[in-house]
C-alpha cells in the first residue's frame, strides 16, 4: 500500500515562502515521476509542478514558473516544493502524487497515488 504524506503547509503573508515535503512509503519513488497539484475552494484540482524519476526534468504551471521549484531526494523517498514570492492566489490545499510513468505529466490521470494534502494560506 502506497502512502504519501504532505507537510510544511501553513499561513504566510504575501511575498513569503514555504517549503512543502511529501514523504512516501510502501513504494520506492525512484522509478516514478512525482507531481504537485493544488485545489482552491470551489475550483478544480490543478497541476502545479512535476519532476521526472531522476530529477533531471521538471515542468511547471505558468502561474508558478519562476516562483516555485520542485525537487526530489530518492534516497529519502521524498519530494519537495519550494514556494517563493507567494501571493493570495496560491491559497489552496496542495497534494502530491506519484506518476504512472517515469516522466509524469500535467493531467490528474497521469498520477495514481495521492496524499491527503496540506493547506497553504497566503494572506494579503
Amino acid at each position: 500500500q502506497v502512502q504519501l504524506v504532505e507537510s510544511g503547509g501553513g499561513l504566510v503573508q504575501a511575498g513569503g515562502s514555504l517549503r512543502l515535503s511529501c514523504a512516501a512509503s510502501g513504494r520506492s519513488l525512484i522509478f516514478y515521476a512525482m507531481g504537485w497539484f493544488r485545489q482552491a475552494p470551489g475550483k478544480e484540482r490543478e497541476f502545479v509542478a512535476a519532476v521526472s524519476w531522476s530529477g533531471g526534468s521538471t515542468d511547471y504551471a505558468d502561474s508558478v514558473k519562476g516562483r516555485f521549484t520542485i525537487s526530489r531526494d530518492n534516497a529519502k523517498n521524498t519530494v519537495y516544493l519550494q514556494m517563493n514570492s507567494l501571493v493570495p492566489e496560491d491559497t489552496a490545499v496542495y497534494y502530491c502524487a506519484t506518476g504512472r510513468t517515469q516522466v509524469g505529466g500535467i493531467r490528474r490521470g497521469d498520477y495514481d497515488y495521492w496524499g491527503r494534502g496540506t493547506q497553504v494560506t497566503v494572506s494579503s
Side-chain angles (χ1 to χ4, degrees), residues 18-96:
L18 284 173
R19 188 193 195 205
L20 305 184
S21 299
C22 173
S25 61
R27 173 202 262 184
S28 172
L29 300 181
I30 192 170
F31 299 114
Y32 302 94
M34 294 294 295
W36 285 96
F37 286 70
R38 67 186 181 186
Q39 188 166 16
K43 294 188 176 182
E44 295 289 318
R45 192 171 300 188
E46 64 176 4
F47 170 77
V48 175
V51 61
S52 64
W53 71 278
S54 66
S57 177
T58 56
D59 194 11
Y60 297 93
D62 288 343
S63 59
V64 306
K65 276 181 183 176
R67 301 188 297 122
F68 290 11
T69 302
I70 188 171
S71 62
R72 65 190 296 160
D73 185 335
N74 287 338
K76 295 182 178 180
N77 233 25
T78 301
V79 63
Y80 305 96
L81 186 68
Q82 177 67 43
M83 306 186 295
N84 299 328
S85 302
L86 285 161
V87 297
E89 292 73 26
D90 294 320
T91 296
V93 177
Y94 283 71
Y95 300 88
C96 70

